[in-house]
Amino acid sequence: MKRVVITGAGTINALGRDVPETLEAMREGRCGISELEFRDVERLAIRIGGQIKGYVPENAFNRQQMSLYDRFTQFALLAARQAVAQSGIDFTGALADCSGVVLGTSGGGLTTQDENYRSVYEEGKNRVHPFVVPKLMNNAAASHVSMEMNLRGPTFTVATACASSNHAMGLAYHMVRGGTCSVMLTGGAESMLCFGGVKAWEGLRVMSRDACRPFSANRNGMVQGEGAGVYVFEEYEHAKARGAEILAEVVGFAMTSDASDIVMPSKQGAARAITGALRDGGINASEVGYINAHGTGTAANDKTECAAVADALGGQADRVMISSTKAMHGHCIGGTGAVELLACIMALRDGIVAPTIGYEEPDPECALDVVPNEAREADVSVVLSNAFAFGGLNAVLALRKA
Amino acid sequence: MSVKDRVIAIIAEQAVLEPSDVTMDSTLEDLGIDSLGLVESIFAIEEEFDISVPFNANEPEKSDFDISSVASIVAGIEALIAEQKK
């Protein structure tokens, strides 16, 4: 089996327009959640989110591109450009033919759907722009990344709700580890912050009206975010031969299904994914220094996740640091694992553990070291990134210091 | 503006050209408009004139709407306006 390393990273999210800006915000424990701004927001009960403000797509894309790129595709392309630039890879010839893209998304071009449903249902228009379908389809982002970067190998989209990005990155890891591909671009993108997107979530009654406070006893729900994270996953020898800078090594991955409830999380399903990732990576629980939690800030997730971590890590659960960066960038749904992997890389490379901000009151059901409110310096050699989706689908990645 | 000038403005915008660069005997291919550009132009024309253009990208040759040149497109649109705005 091949070793798999990360040689490039890119992002755009409510905390920053690129990786350095995002990591700085995470170090400082800055909150990117603000009042939502879009049409009909006054008809929503939930009016906050990790929205990317002051974003001018015309600065990055020409008019023809704009007519084809939904907001989630734009985010994916911006992140992919950064990741490829950092890795220094040029995709040509045989390398291009066997390199691909696996991206996660949950809603795909939801903004495009929302705008066009409004146009035909509410405004009674009988004509829509001809690119509605290629713009809204869930694989649009992966396809446009493949086209822009000339990646001609396996390219597809994974949709497992809030675990989409982790599933995507896990599959990309498998493809490089198994030798199918030398290089994969992977991660995820999401942009659901439009009237219909937030209204649907509102219906479920799991959203907070004021803040995301993971693990805090007074938490009252999740806050949605948007954005993308894209990484270059590269076979170790390939990266070494070209002298690439290695950000971290991907060493383990596991996915499980709760097979029980469509929305309520299961401790067993989550714990099996965590132990599975440790087993896959040949990792002792005692080596795990940091876990980027799924940590949505809902009553159910956070206590179930803490119980699962305690079960899977045993005594190490009392020593491990676990934080949820969703309190800063919001829950980026299908793109969230990709944005959150940045905190994992920061812990390994910079020795800085991102905090769980908004933490106000200890919850006896979340009695782990959740790195409350302030970042911490620590020497961490192995990290995990948890994602536990609606549908009972769990995906956990393990990374090791390069 | 005449129908002709309005159609030329739409086609020129799609082709990222000046209207003066679009002549009546230009073909869409000459102007660098591909199949997606064509359906986008038809959409813009429908919006501009509030008409419905009978065009199926699967069988353009069977359509009454002739897209072989700018002149034929303009003529087709003038006919559709006359027919649909009665």
Side-chain angles (χ1 to χ4, degrees):
Chain A
M1 290 212 290
K2 314 277 190 187
R3 290 173 67 185
V4 183
V5 294
I6 302 176
T7 57
T11 191
I12 176 167
N13 63 81
L15 293 177
R17 301 303 167 87
D18 55 26
V19 174
E21 270 185 39
T22 302
L23 296 188
E24 183 188 292
M26 286 182 174
R27 279 196 301 272
E28 293 179 358
R30 215 180 291 153
C31 184
I33 292 166
S34 61
E35 294 286 319
L36 291 171
E37 292 170 6
F38 50 71
R39 189 171 163 185
D40 293 336
V41 71
E42 64 282 358
R43 288 178 55 203
L44 293 169
I46 304 301
R47 296 185 195 169
I48 57 166
Q51 190 174 22
I52 299 169
K53 297 280 179 73
Y55 168 67
V56 183
E58 289 78 6
N59 291 345
F61 304 107
N62 66 34
R63 194 195 57 168
Q64 193 59 31
Q65 292 172 319
M66 291 290 298
S67 72
L68 281 164
Y69 299 170
D70 180 90
R71 196 169 162 95
F72 95 108
T73 296
Q74 296 170 24
F75 292 163
L77 280 164
L78 291 172
R81 287 174 183 176
Q82 295 168 22
V84 170
Q86 181 177 32
S87 79
I89 289 195
D90 191 17
F91 294 100
T92 53
L95 177 65
D97 287 348
C98 71
S99 301
V101 189
V102 190
L103 292 182
T105 189
S106 182
L110 201 85
T111 309
T112 298
Q113 296 199 36
D114 198 50
E115 283 168 1
N116 285 281
Y117 279 144
R118 178 187 275 124
S119 155
V120 295
Y121 292 146
E122 180 182 326
E123 293 164 1
K125 280 197 68 171
N126 277 329
R127 190 180 293 131
V128 297
H129 190 276
F131 300 170
V132 173
V133 167
K135 211 170 158 182
L136 68 77
M137 61 194 191
N138 278 37
N139 60 311
S143 293
H144 284 297
V145 169
S146 138
M147 286 186 267
E148 182 164 315
M149 304 298 174
N150 191 39
L151 294 154
R152 296 145 60 101
T155 295
F156 55 95
T157 293
V158 178
T160 51
C162 311
S164 301
S165 282
N166 272 21
H167 275 110
M169 293 188 288
L171 291 178
Y173 166 57
H174 281 170
M175 295 178 85
V176 177
R177 183 169 78 167
T180 308
C181 299
S182 305
V183 183
M184 291 295 288
L185 288 198
T186 187
E190 197 73 78
S191 175
M192 278 194 188
L193 296 178
C194 55
F195 177 74
V198 177
K199 181 56 82 179
W201 277 99
E202 211 176 272
L204 206 52
R205 312 216 174 223
V206 294
M207 306 283 282
S208 170
R209 289 169 192 242
D210 48 20
C212 176
R213 299 182 196 87
F215 308 118
S216 191
N218 63 342
R219 65 187 180 275
N220 62 359
M222 53 179 275
V223 173
Q224 234 191 102
E226 65 175 352
V230 175
Y231 300 87
V232 177
F233 279 21
E234 185 170 359
E235 194 270 314
Y236 173 69
E237 295 297 339
H238 189 273
K240 217 173 78 174
R242 62 184 194 87
E245 187 188 0
I246 293 171
L247 305 180
E249 180 169 358
V250 188
V251 291
F253 175 59
M255 34 190 170
T256 62
S257 175
D258 298 341
S260 59
D261 191 277
I262 196 69
V263 291
M264 284 307 287
S266 140
K267 181 181 79 165
Q268 289 78 12
R272 284 193 299 117
I274 296 169
T275 48
L278 296 178
R279 193 167 51 240
D280 187 50
I283 300 161
N284 286 318
S286 62
E287 293 180 277
V288 180
Y290 171 63
I291 300 174
N292 183 281
H294 191 55
T296 55
T298 61
N301 175 82
D302 295 3
K303 69 177 180 191
T304 308
E305 180 165 13
C306 288
V309 167
D311 276 12
L313 262 57
Q316 182 64 13
D318 296 330
R319 291 179 288 275
V320 75
M321 290 172 280
I322 174 168
S323 71
S324 169
T325 52
K326 285 186 177 75
M328 295 187 273
H329 50 66
H331 191 335
C332 304
I333 315 290
T336 210
V339 172
E340 291 164 27
L341 202 71
L342 292 170
C344 294
I345 293 173
M346 181 169 79
L348 293 172
R349 261 173 77 79
D350 305 335
I352 297 170
V353 174
T356 303
I357 68 164
Y359 187 82
E360 294 173 351
E361 287 176 38
D363 178 352
E365 289 195 284
C366 303
L368 302 178
D369 178 0
V370 299
V371 197
N373 299 319
E374 280 182 27
R376 212 178 287 165
E377 288 186 24
D379 186 19
V380 173
S381 58
V382 173
V383 302
L384 300 179
S385 183
N386 287 347
F388 308 132
F390 276 175
L393 310 184
N394 312 299
V396 176
L397 282 159
L399 270 56
R400 191 180 279 279
K401 189 184 271 192
Chain B
M1 274 210 309
S2 66
V3 169
K4 175 188 149 193
D5 289 342
R6 286 155 78 189
V7 171
I8 284 178
I10 289 168
I11 290 173
E13 195 190 353
Q14 191 65 43
V16 199
L17 293 170
E18 289 301 317
S20 54
D21 296 330
V22 177
T23 64
M24 288 299 269
D25 56 0
S26 306
T27 66
L28 295 178
E29 198 180 356
D30 294 339
L31 299 170
I33 294 178
D34 62 9
S35 61
L36 275 184
L38 170 61
V39 292
E40 208 180 9
S41 302
I42 290 175
F43 168 73
I45 286 166
E46 289 184 326
E47 290 280 283
E48 171 74 17
F49 298 103
D50 193 22
I51 55 171
S52 172
V53 177
F55 176 79
N56 181 341
N58 297 292
E59 38 185 22
E61 71 286 350
K62 286 195 186 164
S63 170
D64 288 337
F65 190 67
D66 179 1
I67 56 160
S68 55
S69 70
V70 172
S72 69
I73 292 172
V74 171
I77 288 164
E78 283 170 342
L80 287 168
I81 292 169
E83 189 183 313
Q84 295 179 19
K85 295 283 179 175
K86 269 189 279 198

